[in-house]
Amino acid sequence: MPKQTVQTLDEPKTAKPFLRWSIISVIYLVMIFLLQLVEKAPWMNGYYLHILTIVGLNIILVASLNLVNGFLGEFALGHAGFMCIGAYTAAVIASKLTLPVFIPGMVAPYIQLIVALAGGFLMAGLIGYLVGLLTFKTVGDYLAIITLGFNMIIVNAIQNLDFLGGPRGYIGIPKNTNLFIVSICVVLTFAVLRRIIFSNYGRTWISIRENPIAAEMMGVNINRAKNVAFTIAAAFAGLAGGLLAQYQQYINPSMFDYSKITDILVMLYLGGMGSLSGSILGATSYTILMEILRMVLSAIDPRLAEWRMIISPLVLVIIMRTSQAGLMGNREWRWMRSGKEENR
Amino acid sequence: MQTIIQQILNAAQLGAVYALIALGYSMVYGIIRLINFAHGDIFMLGAFIGFLLATAAGMPLWVMMPLAMILTALVGVAIERIAYRKLRNAQRMSLVITALGVGIFLENIVRLVIGPETRQLPAQLPNQIIGWLSEHFGIAMSQDKAWIIGISLALMFILWFIVNKTLVGTAMRAVADNKDVVPLMGINLNLIIAATFAIGSALAAAGGIFYGQAYSIDPYMGINLGWKAFIAAVIGGIGSIEGAVLGSFMLAAIEVFSVAYLSSNLKNGIVFGILIILLLIRPNGFLGQPEIKKV
């Protein structure tokens, strides 16, 4: 085949967009690192760090689901299932892995962490690929049902597997993760997602979203493109699951049930479909809003704290009634974009 | 042999409840192409309204059930009016997400107001064993099971009559066929859609009360049963009334027999597995019409 030299619109003409993005990522990491350093200081509240960690995990989940639901324009519901697979894989690896003795004790937790995360990432990606293969034929509502079905099967299967603890959950996972490591993973996730989505390949997803038949006529291999998106999204959900398992040190199958799915969806649509910036904004604002509500309501009366469960679905309904595009629509912050041209 | 017949009767009872829920899914989908994810929670709400009427107000079943059906129908209409109507012409996914939100809202509000405990509706149907069945065939069938199956079938027949033989039903089928032309014919579209939601919700409430009579109710049952009923509607071909009923009885049979002969823990896995296989082989269900796509 002759080598093609096609001038693409997305290719950054200058290094500027990447530079802007890198600067912001580094600032974020440095700030988190400083926060992590003063974790033990008397004036520091560990609770804030916990919230930031959860925000980080949610950002990874929402951004990866955005790839399928926002950019590819499908409606997949099984994201919590992939997270579940990642979490259990990482949990098993982290608690069963015995490292050779010559590795110094200082480094061992990190190696354990990396192996466990990679295991969760790859396993979830593999299952995501297989689910993607099976669900080619279906679109729209039916895809939503099938993916949800897979989620339920995964949860149901784990509830019946005794060596994974069954419905009681998996306990005794070593705590290898903290806020800083979660933040590194957030940055890595965005480095990958942003790079793929704003590339030429990413445009094929957007073309499928806009009109699948027209895209196919332009030579887009729809099945393949969909499956790639599915696999990547599932793999990053697995990464978030692996981080969660090693952060909480305890997981059980019902964590990855309907309520998790809706939480992810609320954050996704609050931020805006088809916008990576929106994923950050949605996950952050929703997680923090829920925590503030919990604090405010329990300050008034401890019994009221439960009422925030009513407020989150109301927020969702109100967003949908007022602006269906979410906070960001499909716009991006300038530093998140790649290239000069506006990506839509 | 007798155990198999016994299981078939159990399946018929469960299938009747599924069918009452599945019909609501199917009708709403047929008319505004919305998977009403809140429908399972409307079913749950209907059961709890019935529970409150029966325990707090002490009503007998024959008063409580129609009243609970009417109240639930009003809630269904209100949900359509407040949450869905404005989004009717928006992107379909916004509607689906709104429906998810409404469902969680209903679930949590019932949990907070009434409490998360599992409850039992006071048994108001006679539950003696039907004598001549056990004498002649050795089958133990209680009267309440017969009542539940019988009333459910009667309600389904009434629904079939409304949809196929009355003016409102004709308008409903017209809306399902082409939503844009119907208002030009002088039909009040909003009224027809409201009627659909009212009928669907009332049937779900009836299903909820029967479910509470036969089993037990809790605020989360709407998710699980709602999904199962939805699967039933999809198996039969969503949008088709006969399909919803057929699918419900099939699903109930699969479920009851897999619990009896395989494992009760794997019940949900088996049900969802069958759904996936079926959707891959026949994406439009047994009685559904294939959708024609245009560029």
Side-chain angles (χ1 to χ4, degrees), chain B:
Chain B
M1 189 61 205
Q2 267 142 15
T3 45
I4 290 180
I5 292 174
Q6 207 73 56
Q7 297 295 358
I8 288 175
L9 288 175
N10 288 340
Q13 185 186 27
L14 189 63
V17 174
Y18 283 167
L20 289 176
I21 316 171
L23 283 169
Y25 271 117
S26 213
M27 284 173 70
V28 169
Y29 186 87
I31 287 197
I32 55 172
R33 304 276 143 194
L34 160 71
I35 297 181
N36 187 5
F37 281 108
H39 193 66
D41 296 298
I42 292 176
F43 153 79
M44 178 274 299
L45 189 72
F48 270 91
I49 289 177
F51 171 77
L52 284 184
L53 290 178
T55 53
M59 291 178 186
L61 185 77
W62 312 114
V63 185
M64 175 268 270
M65 207 169 119
L67 195 58
M69 284 170 75
I70 291 169
L71 288 175
T72 316
L74 289 178
V75 173
V77 173
I79 288 171
E80 193 273 328
R81 178 69 193 83
I82 295 167
Y84 299 159
R85 185 173 291 180
K86 203 181 163 207
L87 293 169
R88 203 178 288 156
N89 295 317
Q91 264 194 330
R92 280 183 54 209
M93 283 312 146
S94 333
L95 253 179
V96 172
I97 297 151
T98 310
L100 273 173
V102 171
I104 299 166
F105 176 76
L106 289 178
E107 193 179 293
N108 282 322
I109 207 151
V110 168
R111 188 175 65 107
L112 290 171
V113 173
I114 303 181
E117 302 87 13
T118 302
R119 288 156 204 278
Q120 187 92 39
L121 243 72
Q124 288 167 321
L125 288 166
N127 54 0
Q128 295 92 345
I129 306 281
I130 300 175
W132 59 271
L133 265 179
S134 57
E135 266 169 41
H136 296 286
F137 303 98
I139 303 157
M141 186 188 192
S142 58
Q143 283 182 18
D144 59 348
K145 205 172 269 181
W147 277 111
I148 288 174
I149 297 171
I151 298 175
S152 303
L153 289 176
L155 286 173
M156 287 172 220
F157 177 75
I158 292 172
L159 175 77
W160 178 86
F161 186 81
I162 290 176
V163 170
N164 286 311
K165 302 286 172 194
T166 64
L167 208 57
V168 181
T170 314
M172 280 178 183
R173 282 180 289 136
V175 174
D177 199 44
N178 191 334
K179 202 168 62 178
D180 302 325
V181 177
V182 165
L184 300 179
M185 305 290 133
I187 297 169
N188 189 341
L189 184 65
N190 288 337
L191 203 67
I192 297 302
I193 293 177
T196 312
F197 270 86
I199 294 174
S201 306
L203 288 179
I209 290 165
F210 287 152
Y211 191 79
Q213 291 280 331
Y215 311 97
S216 59
I217 59 174
D218 66 90
Y220 296 110
M221 70 175 185
I223 312 175
N224 212 345
L225 270 118
W227 273 108
K228 295 239 182 78
F230 175 68
I231 292 170
V234 173
I235 289 175
I238 195 159
S240 134
I241 287 176
E242 296 86 350
V245 176
L246 177 74
S248 300
F249 284 109
M250 278 171 57
L251 186 83
I254 292 166
E255 202 182 311
V256 166
F257 279 96
S258 66
V259 170
Y261 295 105
L262 293 168
S263 151
S264 62
N265 290 335
L266 288 172
K267 182 174 78 178
N268 288 345
I270 290 171
V271 168
F272 274 104
I274 285 169
L275 170 80
I276 290 169
I277 294 167
L278 191 96
L279 279 186
L280 294 174
I281 301 168
R282 259 195 86 85
N284 295 299
F286 280 113
L287 302 176
Q289 300 293 323
E291 209 172 301
I292 298 159
K293 284 225 174 69
K294 293 177 202 153
V295 182

Side-chain angles (χ1 to χ4, degrees), chain A residues 8-13 17 70-71 193-207 209-210 273-277 328-344:
Chain A
T8 60
L9 287 169
D10 282 324
E11 211 66 54
K13 304 289 190 301
F71 290 96
L193 287 183
R194 176 179 167 277
R195 194 67 205 153
I196 307 176
I197 286 171
F198 300 133
S199 69
N200 280 354
Y201 198 82
R203 290 219 152 185
T204 61
W205 291 332
I206 295 168
S207 71
R209 176 182 77 192
E210 298 301 330
M273 290 217 277
S275 160
L276 283 178
S277 327
M328 290 297 286
N330 51 14
R331 290 163 296 159
E332 294 282 0
W333 288 324
R334 243 175 98 201
W335 56 269
M336 184 62 83
R337 288 203 302 258
S338 142
K340 282 177 179 169
E341 217 237 346
E342 175 133 3
N343 275 290
R344 284 177 54 79

